[in-house]
């Protein structure tokens, strides 16, 4: 593992808090229409995962003032993936 503990903790907190925000606010009824989604939950799940990985990568660049290595990038993805069951279960409700 190459990510420092503080960065992992902050990224984990970001994932948890953002998922909680989604759970409390739900989804806009227009999302399916605007993006022509056949399976809204799948679209939202992919959007959420991309948002979390992208936010964590941006935070990494700001904190460390460099691009993450390939290994660090994969660790960030793995942090998000560690919440896959909770993420999938929540967004499946929109399908």
């Amino acid at each position: 593992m190459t990510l420092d503990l503080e960065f992992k903790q902050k990224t984990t907190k970001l994932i948890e808090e953002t998922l909680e925000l989604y759970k409390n606010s739900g989804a806009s009824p227009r999302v399916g229409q605007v993006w022509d989604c056949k399976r809204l939950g799948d679209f939202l799940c992919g959007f959420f995962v991309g948002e979390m990985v992208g936010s964590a990568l941006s935070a990494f660049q700001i904190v460390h003032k460099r691009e993450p290595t390939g290994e660090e990038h994969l660790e960030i993805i793995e942090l998000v993936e560690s919440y896959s069951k909770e993420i999938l279960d929540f967004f499946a409700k929109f399908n």
Side-chain angles (χ1 to χ4, degrees):
M1 300 297 258
T2 58
L3 293 176
D4 63 87
L5 182 60
E6 183 180 3
F7 183 82
K8 285 199 262 187
Q9 290 172 335
K10 287 183 178 181
T11 300
T12 298
K13 184 177 178 183
L14 170 73
I15 296 164
E16 292 171 352
E17 289 178 354
T18 306
L19 185 56
E20 201 57 38
L21 286 172
Y22 272 77
K23 287 179 178 180
N24 290 329
S25 63
S28 166
R30 298 180 332 155
V31 171
Q33 297 165 348
V34 170
W35 297 105
D36 193 27
C37 298
K38 303 298 182 248
R39 293 181 52 88
L40 182 59
D42 293 344
F43 174 85
L44 292 171
C45 182
F47 181 87
F48 179 84
V49 169
E51 180 182 18
M52 292 301 92
V53 171
S55 294
L57 289 171
S58 293
F60 183 94
Q61 291 170 331
I62 290 167
V63 168
H64 297 289
K65 297 179 181 29
R66 65 176 175 83
E67 296 289 323
T69 65
E71 188 176 351
E72 290 165 334
H73 189 134
L74 288 175
E75 284 186 54
I76 289 170
I77 292 169
E78 288 170 357
L79 285 173
V80 178
E81 288 175 342
S82 70
Y83 288 86
S84 62
K85 180 169 178 12
E86 188 175 356
I87 293 167
L88 287 168
D89 287 350
F90 173 69
F91 288 107
K93 296 174 185 177
F94 293 97
N95 283 335

